[in-house]
Amino acid sequence: MMFDRSTHGGAAIARPLLSILLVLTSLACSRAPEPLSAQTDPRDANAAAETISAADLRVRIGALAHDSMRGRPTPSPELEKAARHIARRFESFGLLPGDGDSYLQTFPLTFSSRGASDGESLTIDGPGGGAIGSEDFIAVPSVSGRATGELRVVDLGAPGVLTGTIALVSVSQSNANAALTSARDLLDAGASGVLFAVDASDQYFEGLRRFFSRERMAVGVPDELIAPTALVRMSSLPAALQSAIGSGGATGQFSASLRTSASFRQDQALNTIGWIEGSDPELRDEYIVFTAHMDHVGVGRPVDGDSIYNGADDDASGTATIIELAEAFASLPTPPRRSLVFMTVSGEENGLLGSAWYAEHPLFPTEETVANINIDMIGRNWEDTVVAIGRDESTLGDMLDRVLEEHAELGLAMIDDPWPEENFYFRSDHFNFARKGVPILFFFTGPHEDYHGPNDEADRILYDKTARIGRLIFFLGIEIANEADRPQWDAAAYRRIVEGAGS
Ligand SMILES: [Zn+2]
């Protein structure tokens, strides 16, 4: 409706005005939709983000990384003290407890160590067989017991049915990681024992002996299904058996008797969990989980007389940021649409144990967990650059790019993982979420000369940068929590990470 002059005078005038108004209104309606974060008033968001401060981080990291915390090993009274401190903070911010009426998820730890050496032996029966000397044999402290049976060379990709046999796996330095973690699957396939034939240097073999001779910590209670497991030097096996292993041929003529002994002790550790319920009746049953690890490696070999490995960057920087994020989100007048979960875990340095336990015992439905934002070591290296590992694996990357653009005031640049050969993707707690199908982003600013050393101290942290990364993660959290659609995996990444990992 453009001006129509042919009809009624005054009314003529009024009518066009009305149509102008109508147009204006429709224009208003058709204006590009408000940025999603606007569903959380930007003024409120900015005010909340400002509470994430370098000054607060300095206090929190200073407390967590103080010498009196003795490097917060798992388990320890100092780590428990940190967990209970964080639980009190969550409660004081008004967060809801994550585990029933508790902010603490307790999980069992099993320490296994090799038992008496006279309780260990390995005999190979068949051409050229005999007893294997203890210098050529390493019992894995898994169980006290005996396994006897035909030796069956196993193809790790397709072990087949192994009932009543002792599975024989060829191990070299290149496949050690995959091979040595396969025992569980082989026992599930029916094997009564597992023997790893190690074809590597003496130095490497002795390294394995030191590794398996240390007391080992595992999450959970002793696994009744675990059976005698050991490593043997390939060159100590009968020649015919070695060539059969090499060719993947039949070893029916060989059998073995394997005896191992182990002793166990139980302990426990804590994950700290608090949450904020979302404001949208439709979306509040979907969750974003923010994580960091509270633990570090404890007291170790002294360097210049200092033996406390303070772990200020690793990962007091992430843990303190989680506390600041919880406080900032709790300060919003209206929570974002989806629910927000804040979790600090134990046992990360010992094999991602706390997050592994959570992944198997989730307190919020995994299938409704739309994202995990993990923070580990964001306090050192560059002033204005941060790495977000996992950026290309889901639409979380696009959201992050949008937030970066919207919040140029943070002065942060994002780069892809410059250390792919380090496999950092598999080395922090997000991996236990990713392998369960939860899209992840892992914020990290990289290793440095004090990594896992006594000089990873609070006075070496870049507090202003850490606070800016914290604010970035805050705005990202708002974006994910308010976005109509939940983050989506890239199909190839999903196949690689979730299906490849065997969730
Ligand atoms: Zn760490």
PDB file of all heavy atoms in Angstrom, residues 293 314-315 348-349 376, ligand 1:
ATOM      1  N   HIS A 293      40.196 -30.648  35.932  1.00  0.00           N
ATOM      2  CA  HIS A 293      40.598 -31.615  36.942  1.00  0.00           C
ATOM      3  C   HIS A 293      41.300 -30.920  38.111  1.00  0.00           C
ATOM      4  O   HIS A 293      42.128 -30.034  37.917  1.00  0.00           O
ATOM      5  CB  HIS A 293      41.432 -32.755  36.360  1.00  0.00           C
ATOM      6  CG  HIS A 293      42.803 -32.401  35.860  1.00  0.00           C
ATOM      7  ND1 HIS A 293      43.920 -32.480  36.644  1.00  0.00           N
ATOM      8  CD2 HIS A 293      43.220 -31.971  34.638  1.00  0.00           C
ATOM      9  CE1 HIS A 293      44.984 -32.141  35.933  1.00  0.00           C
ATOM     10  NE2 HIS A 293      44.601 -31.820  34.711  1.00  0.00           N
ATOM     11  N   ASP A 314      48.351 -26.724  35.644  1.00  0.00           N
ATOM     12  CA  ASP A 314      47.804 -28.077  35.402  1.00  0.00           C
ATOM     13  C   ASP A 314      47.207 -28.682  36.670  1.00  0.00           C
ATOM     14  O   ASP A 314      47.879 -29.449  37.376  1.00  0.00           O
ATOM     15  CB  ASP A 314      48.947 -28.958  34.860  1.00  0.00           C
ATOM     16  CG  ASP A 314      48.427 -30.306  34.365  1.00  0.00           C
ATOM     17  OD1 ASP A 314      47.198 -30.490  34.310  1.00  0.00           O
ATOM     18  OD2 ASP A 314      49.273 -31.171  34.075  1.00  0.00           O
ATOM     19  N   ASP A 315      46.055 -28.539  36.992  1.00  0.00           N
ATOM     20  CA  ASP A 315      45.042 -27.791  36.266  1.00  0.00           C
ATOM     21  C   ASP A 315      44.282 -26.889  37.233  1.00  0.00           C
ATOM     22  O   ASP A 315      43.062 -26.783  37.211  1.00  0.00           O
ATOM     23  CB  ASP A 315      44.087 -28.761  35.557  1.00  0.00           C
ATOM     24  CG  ASP A 315      43.078 -28.018  34.682  1.00  0.00           C
ATOM     25  OD1 ASP A 315      43.376 -26.883  34.262  1.00  0.00           O
ATOM     26  OD2 ASP A 315      41.994 -28.576  34.476  1.00  0.00           O
ATOM     27  N   GLU A 348      42.697 -37.434  37.100  1.00  0.00           N
ATOM     28  CA  GLU A 348      43.001 -37.193  35.676  1.00  0.00           C
ATOM     29  C   GLU A 348      44.423 -37.612  35.360  1.00  0.00           C
ATOM     30  O   GLU A 348      44.683 -38.268  34.354  1.00  0.00           O
ATOM     31  CB  GLU A 348      42.792 -35.703  35.325  1.00  0.00           C
ATOM     32  CG  GLU A 348      42.855 -35.389  33.840  1.00  0.00           C
ATOM     33  CD  GLU A 348      44.256 -35.067  33.333  1.00  0.00           C
ATOM     34  OE1 GLU A 348      45.207 -35.008  34.148  1.00  0.00           O
ATOM     35  OE2 GLU A 348      44.398 -34.925  32.107  1.00  0.00           O
ATOM     36  N   GLU A 349      45.336 -37.265  36.261  1.00  0.00           N
ATOM     37  CA  GLU A 349      46.745 -37.560  36.005  1.00  0.00           C
ATOM     38  C   GLU A 349      47.040 -39.062  36.040  1.00  0.00           C
ATOM     39  O   GLU A 349      48.094 -39.504  35.594  1.00  0.00           O
ATOM     40  CB  GLU A 349      47.630 -36.846  37.056  1.00  0.00           C
ATOM     41  CG  GLU A 349      47.478 -35.336  37.080  1.00  0.00           C
ATOM     42  CD  GLU A 349      48.102 -34.643  35.870  1.00  0.00           C
ATOM     43  OE1 GLU A 349      48.628 -35.350  34.976  1.00  0.00           O
ATOM     44  OE2 GLU A 349      48.007 -33.401  35.796  1.00  0.00           O
ATOM     45  N   ASP A 376      41.812 -27.338  30.556  1.00  0.00           N
ATOM     46  CA  ASP A 376      42.994 -27.935  31.176  1.00  0.00           C
ATOM     47  C   ASP A 376      44.219 -27.164  30.709  1.00  0.00           C
ATOM     48  O   ASP A 376      44.546 -27.191  29.519  1.00  0.00           O
ATOM     49  CB  ASP A 376      43.094 -29.419  30.783  1.00  0.00           C
ATOM     50  CG  ASP A 376      44.101 -30.193  31.628  1.00  0.00           C
ATOM     51  OD1 ASP A 376      44.840 -29.556  32.398  1.00  0.00           O
ATOM     52  OD2 ASP A 376      44.154 -31.422  31.489  1.00  0.00           O
TER      53      ASP A 376
HETATM   54 ZN    ZN B   1      46.045 -31.524  33.210  1.00  0.00          ZN
END
